[in-house]
Amino acid sequence: SDTLIPFCRGEAKSESQSDVDVWEILRKAPPSEYEKIAFQYGITDLRGMLKRLKRIRKEEKKSTAFLKKLDPAYQVDKGQKIKLMVEVADPDADVKWLKNGQEIQVSGRYIFEAVGNKRILTINHCSLADDAAYECVVGEEKSFTELFVKEPPILITHPLEDQMVMVGERVEFECEVSEEGATVKWEKDGIELTREETFKYRFKKDGKKQYLIINETTKEDSGHYTVKTNGGVSVAELIVQEKKLEVYQSIADLTVKARDQAVFKCEVSDENVKGIWLKNGKEVVPDERIKISHIGRIHKLTIEDVTPGDEADYSFIPQGFAYNLSAKLQFLEVKIDFVPREEPPKIHLDCLGQSPDTIVVVAGNKLRLDVPISGDPTPTVIWQKVNKKSDLVRSNDDSTTPSENSSDLNSDSKLLFESEGRVRVEMHEDHCVFIIEGAEKEDEGVYRVIVKNPVGEDKADITVKVIDVPDPPEAPKISNIGEDYCTVQWQPPKYDGGQPVLGYILERKKKKSYRWMRLNFDLLKELTYEAKRMIEGVVYEMRIYAVNSIGMSRPSPASQPFMPIAPPSEPTHFTVEDVSDSTVALKWRPPERIGAGGLDGYIVEYCKEGSTEWIPALPGLTERTSALIKDLVTGDKLHFRIKAINLAGESGAAIIKEPITVQEILQRPKIWLPRHLRQTLVKKVGETINIVIPFQGKPRPKIIWMKDGQTLDSKDVGIRNSNTDTILFIRKAELHHSGAYEVTLQIENMTDKVAITMQIIDKPGPPQNVKLVDVWGFNAALEWTPPQDDGNAQILGYTVQKADKKTMEWYTVFDHYRRTNCVVSDLIMGNEYFFRIFSENLCGLSETAATTKNPAYIQKTGTTYKPPSYKQHDFSEPPKFTHPLVNRSVIAGYNTTLSCAVRGIPKPKIFWYKNQMDISGDAKYRMFSKQGVLTLEIRKPTPFDSGCYTCKAVNECGEAEIECRLDVRGNQ
């Protein structure tokens, strides 16, 4: 309907008023905007709401039962209270309140109030169940309204997390909102994801949690995903990478003796990648002796009690990748030739020479070094670690003492004979074993093995090198922060683990999140990286890993939190507003893009023509969008520029291209008279007059006000002048303020002037010389003259009224009557009439009226009628009860009444008795008599109040009485 409906929240006195009227917004909105409005304001039943909106009609203003009806529509926030109020014509009228056609009963949430003519329905703690149509019914008339209960905004209590996945993997974005089952919108790069796209996206709700699920990701799914409610927004980034696997540690060749343990180990970049182990091209099946494990990124193949049959080529193949990590297991079979008696000891190593053998072990792994030896008698074996200060010696010969070996050790050496511990020596008949459990960096060095017997000795040096992952780098430094990017810089780790650093891996997370997201798959070779695709206004942290051939270091400490923000764009519409001999007035508008960094203010600078030095025009920043630059040198030509400033720095400069000459510009005076002042300005006595007349002219013109050719009295009228307008102000208008006003602007010999006519009007005086000219039949002729005081306005007409001499109630005969004579007709025969006349102008009727001095008598015509005389009828009668008292049985404690009806002329006096005792003066009883109905109210009766009650009516014609029995039962 095109009918304008006054939608209202004024009468609905809610504890928390909304800033917007949803009914009005829906009424004005085009249908294409309905869905958007429903989401924004939490409308769950949009179709039902539109139907209710269509039913609303503007009710008729006239009503016999209602002085003021309900407004067509109200709204209230969920959980608040609202009052629906009507005003009824009859203060004693009963009203009914209906909700969706059903009568509302009084409860703790619904409260009915009657205050004078007002009837109020209060609804406490409004819920969605109160969103309905309400009616107030008085008799046959109804007042109708619609109530919309607005839900509070849905807040995002747990935001989305950034994610990085491989192509084909499943992604699940999760957030938590403040209400269960809330409606949310999902967007990708600003485009809404609809329910029709279920083949690609799946939306799920679980209580307060909301999910967006992508089962198989592709490269095209990378981007920023947004979840929106009507009270919050959360953004997260999804990075989808092609599947690429890095090998941090490959498997190495092993040489193992019989019944020893062989362990092949490799480490890959993805802990979720599975794989298979092959032996000579066939898959290895685990059993009690052969174990396969996968913990995190590390895959292991362990072979216990190695036999010659285990010698083979072993390979690890990650599933889904074209990789093949291979190594060889070589079975070591020690063959010792027959040694004759008293043979000098011999160490059987493959490589003996001047440079020591080098054995490389990864930190944390077990080093087992088998050294075959021979000699007769059995030689004594001494192990020494060649240090700069001291030697570490391990031996299995309990008979060896420090004194016996003092020639082999320096003074700082000490002998350890334990055969257990992390670093130990095990002796066998034909070989000795040097073992380091869980190699550490301190175990690095040159180890010397010495074998001795009485025939001779032999020795060999073996170099052990322990390599490890690098130490974690120090926390990275963040610089060059922009709108969605920053530069990350770091230093190499202090210790590279004994292997060259191959590169670095960078991770990022939001400050309040717990999930770190990797930014690169290919190792970073440099010590700097430009991170992109961040969200402006979100606080981030960065950390770095160092990677060598052994693996990846622990993460560095997180960087200092930082927020990607960009400087605002340059201010717009930068112009010169005014120029004088020493000042320049500038104005501009805020930048089109401010960003998350906000706006701290503006810096204004100027530069003299021919110079390159920009000078600040104002001390510090200004937050206003205008500035007056003072104390400039007359005649200078200046360039001006302005920049917007925020946390990120300065914006580009907005520049006025042409130089501005600091010199007053002579401008001819010109008055811009408003349209409504071009005709006579009419005001009533007592009103406030405020006339604003804008003008232009430079330098500031001289302003002169005149009235009727005379200089205006400033005591009676206020004049205020500025650079751009002049104001005439009269606090309380009087008749003498009427006249012709003239405003003159003067600059040197140039002038401009305008005239304003002001008319102050008042109510007129009464007409003069009112005469009753003639009376005939049912008519009376009147004459009068115009009033002496017309109130400074034209007399528009007269109002003529008549009054019967008996009642002196005045009735209007003519209004807006323009003549000064009239004939009043249709007067009643036999009555006498007075007449009065009001004069009328633009201000209204005169305060007083002119009244005729003598009444006009309308004489009767024809014979006079003499009514016959009748004997006056005697209507008196003795009292008679028309409705008896009824026996009653009531419960103690509840007020009860006894009622009957009596008739009698003159009105009889009533007396009440209990058991023949007069109870008229007892405060326990109240007696009522209305239209012949007699009522006795007994307040909270007790069993003592049981008995025989009598009502007696007495007048001058006689008396009558009636009685009943009252039983009061005790409360069980």
Side-chain angles (χ1 to χ4, degrees), residues 562-576:
F562 67 95
M563 179 191 297
I565 53 174
S569 58
E570 66 273 5
T572 58
H573 300 86
F574 184 37
T575 57
V576 176

Side-chain angles (χ1 to χ4, degrees), residues 128-275:
L128 292 182
D130 298 315
D131 189 300
Y134 291 84
E135 295 174 77
C136 182
V137 182
V138 179
E140 298 297 323
E141 293 196 34
K142 298 180 181 179
S143 178
F144 175 85
T145 189
E146 291 278 357
L147 175 63
F148 169 58
V149 180
K150 182 181 176 185
E151 291 197 77
I154 305 298
L155 305 178
I156 297 178
T157 56
H158 192 282
L160 299 175
E161 300 283 356
D162 294 337
Q163 298 199 42
M164 174 181 285
V165 296
M166 296 290 186
V167 171
E169 290 184 346
R170 182 177 185 271
V171 171
E172 186 176 283
F173 285 106
E174 174 189 340
C175 73
E176 189 172 317
V177 295
S178 56
E179 293 286 341
E180 291 190 4
T183 301
V184 302
K185 279 186 179 179
W186 291 93
E187 294 180 357
K188 176 182 181 289
D189 295 330
I191 300 174
E192 184 178 354
L193 305 177
T194 61
R195 301 285 172 178
E196 286 74 21
E197 299 179 88
T198 51
F199 67 92
K200 180 69 178 176
Y201 304 103
R202 189 158 67 90
F203 308 94
K204 189 174 84 170
K205 296 180 182 179
D206 182 9
K208 295 183 179 181
K209 292 185 177 180
Q210 302 276 344
Y211 298 90
L212 169 64
I213 300 170
I214 308 174
N215 284 320
E216 292 188 9
T217 54
T218 63
K219 287 285 287 182
E220 291 71 25
D221 292 324
S222 295
H224 288 95
Y225 287 80
T226 306
V227 61
K228 288 184 178 180
T229 68
N230 58 355
V233 177
S234 178
V235 184
E237 184 181 7
L238 172 63
I239 298 177
V240 182
Q241 293 279 2
E242 294 287 353
K243 282 193 175 181
K244 188 174 181 181
L245 194 68
E246 294 181 34
V247 179
Y248 292 155
Q249 179 182 353
S250 184
I251 59 178
D253 293 340
L254 296 177
T255 301
V256 184
K257 289 185 62 177
R259 305 192 64 79
D260 283 349
Q261 182 191 66
V263 179
F264 290 104
K265 183 178 79 169
C266 65
E267 184 178 359
V268 295
S269 58
D270 190 346
E271 62 183 22
N272 296 319
V273 169
K274 299 179 180 180

Side-chain angles (χ1 to χ4, degrees), residues 890-945:
V890 298
I891 298 174
Y894 296 92
N895 290 3
T896 189
T897 58
L898 303 176
S899 298
C900 61
V902 69
R903 186 178 67 194
I905 298 176
K907 183 178 180 180
K909 291 185 178 179
I910 308 302
F911 303 92
W912 287 90
Y913 301 90
K914 175 193 172 187
N915 298 331
Q916 304 303 319
M917 299 293 293
D918 188 2
I919 57 174
S920 300
D922 194 336
K924 185 176 182 66
Y925 306 96
R926 288 202 302 174
M927 295 83 169
F928 303 97
S929 175
K930 185 175 182 182
Q931 301 295 328
V933 177
L934 310 178
T935 304
L936 173 66
E937 182 183 1
I938 306 170
R939 300 181 181 178
K940 297 185 178 179
T942 64
F944 175 76
D945 294 311

Side-chain angles (χ1 to χ4, degrees), residues 43-111:
I43 301 173
T44 54
D45 183 13
L46 175 60
R47 183 172 297 179
M49 188 108 170
L50 293 174
K51 287 181 180 178
R52 291 163 60 189
L53 184 66
K54 196 173 182 180
R55 287 200 305 265
I56 295 177
R57 295 290 183 270
K58 187 176 181 180
E59 298 188 20
E60 295 292 334
K61 291 184 180 178
K62 293 183 180 179
S63 171
T64 56
F66 291 96
L67 297 177
K68 183 177 182 182
K69 292 190 173 184
L70 294 168
D71 291 306
Y74 297 90
Q75 76 176 38
V76 64
D77 289 336
K78 181 180 176 182
Q80 303 299 320
K81 78 175 182 180
I82 190 170
K83 292 186 177 183
L84 306 180
M85 186 182 72
V86 297
E87 292 185 21
V88 294
D90 182 5
D92 298 323
D94 293 327
V95 302
K96 289 183 181 180
W97 290 93
L98 307 182
K99 172 184 172 184
N100 288 337
Q102 300 294 320
E103 185 173 354
I104 302 174
Q105 303 298 326
V106 178
S107 67
R109 291 184 57 247
Y110 297 101
I111 300 174

Side-chain angles (χ1 to χ4, degrees), residues 710-959:
Q710 302 294 325
T711 303
L712 202 58
D713 185 5
S714 59
K715 295 181 180 179
D716 193 29
V717 176
I719 303 292
R720 292 197 290 268
N721 299 321
S722 70
N723 291 332
T724 56
D725 57 35
T726 179
I727 300 174
L728 179 138
F729 180 76
I730 302 175
R731 188 175 300 278
K732 194 173 182 180
E734 303 290 346
L735 288 174
H736 64 81
H737 290 135
S738 301
Y741 291 79
E742 186 179 82
V743 184
T744 303
L745 293 187
Q746 183 176 351
I747 300 176
E748 297 180 355
N749 59 349
M750 297 179 291
T751 60
D752 188 21
K753 63 178 65 177
V754 294
I756 301 170
T757 303
M758 191 184 305
Q759 181 182 358
I760 310 300
I761 62 175
D762 199 0
K763 292 181 178 180
Q768 294 181 307
N769 305 320
V770 178
K771 296 179 182 178
L772 181 61
V773 179
D774 194 8
V775 178
W776 73 98
F778 304 102
N779 308 302
L782 302 173
E783 279 186 359
W784 64 88
T785 58
Q788 183 177 0
D789 178 16
D790 61 2
N792 198 27
Q794 180 183 357
I795 299 297
L796 301 178
Y798 303 90
T799 297
V800 182
Q801 294 181 339
K802 67 178 180 180
D804 190 338
K805 185 179 179 181
K806 296 177 183 177
T807 61
M808 289 307 291
E809 293 182 2
W810 293 97
Y811 297 93
T812 299
V813 180
F814 302 108
D815 56 358
H816 309 303
Y817 189 79
R818 291 186 173 274
R819 298 179 183 178
T820 57
N821 55 74
C822 70
V823 175
V824 181
S825 303
D826 299 328
L827 301 176
I828 298 174
M829 183 172 57
N831 289 355
E832 292 182 86
Y833 292 91
F834 284 98
F835 300 93
R836 69 181 183 184
I837 304 170
F838 294 88
S839 51
E840 182 181 5
N841 66 3
L842 281 173
C843 207
L845 295 177
S846 58
E847 296 284 352
T848 59
T851 309
T852 56
K853 293 181 179 179
N854 300 316
Y857 177 67
I858 308 302
Q859 293 186 354
K860 301 177 183 178
T861 59
T863 59
T864 58
Y865 173 73
K866 201 176 227 186
S869 61
Y870 296 99
K871 184 179 178 181
Q872 188 174 5
H873 180 72
D874 185 8
F875 289 96
S876 62
E877 63 173 319
K880 180 182 178 182
F881 284 95
T882 60
H883 191 279
L885 289 172
V886 179
N887 294 334
R888 296 198 61 187
S889 175
V890 298
I891 298 174
Y894 296 92
N895 290 3
T896 189
T897 58
L898 303 176
S899 298
C900 61
V902 69
R903 186 178 67 194
I905 298 176
K907 183 178 180 180
K909 291 185 178 179
I910 308 302
F911 303 92
W912 287 90
Y913 301 90
K914 175 193 172 187
N915 298 331
Q916 304 303 319
M917 299 293 293
D918 188 2
I919 57 174
S920 300
D922 194 336
K924 185 176 182 66
Y925 306 96
R926 288 202 302 174
M927 295 83 169
F928 303 97
S929 175
K930 185 175 182 182
Q931 301 295 328
V933 177
L934 310 178
T935 304
L936 173 66
E937 182 183 1
I938 306 170
R939 300 181 181 178
K940 297 185 178 179
T942 64
F944 175 76
D945 294 311
S946 299
C948 181
Y949 286 82
T950 305
C951 180
K952 184 177 182 180
V954 179
N955 70 1
E956 61 189 21
C957 296
E959 63 181 38

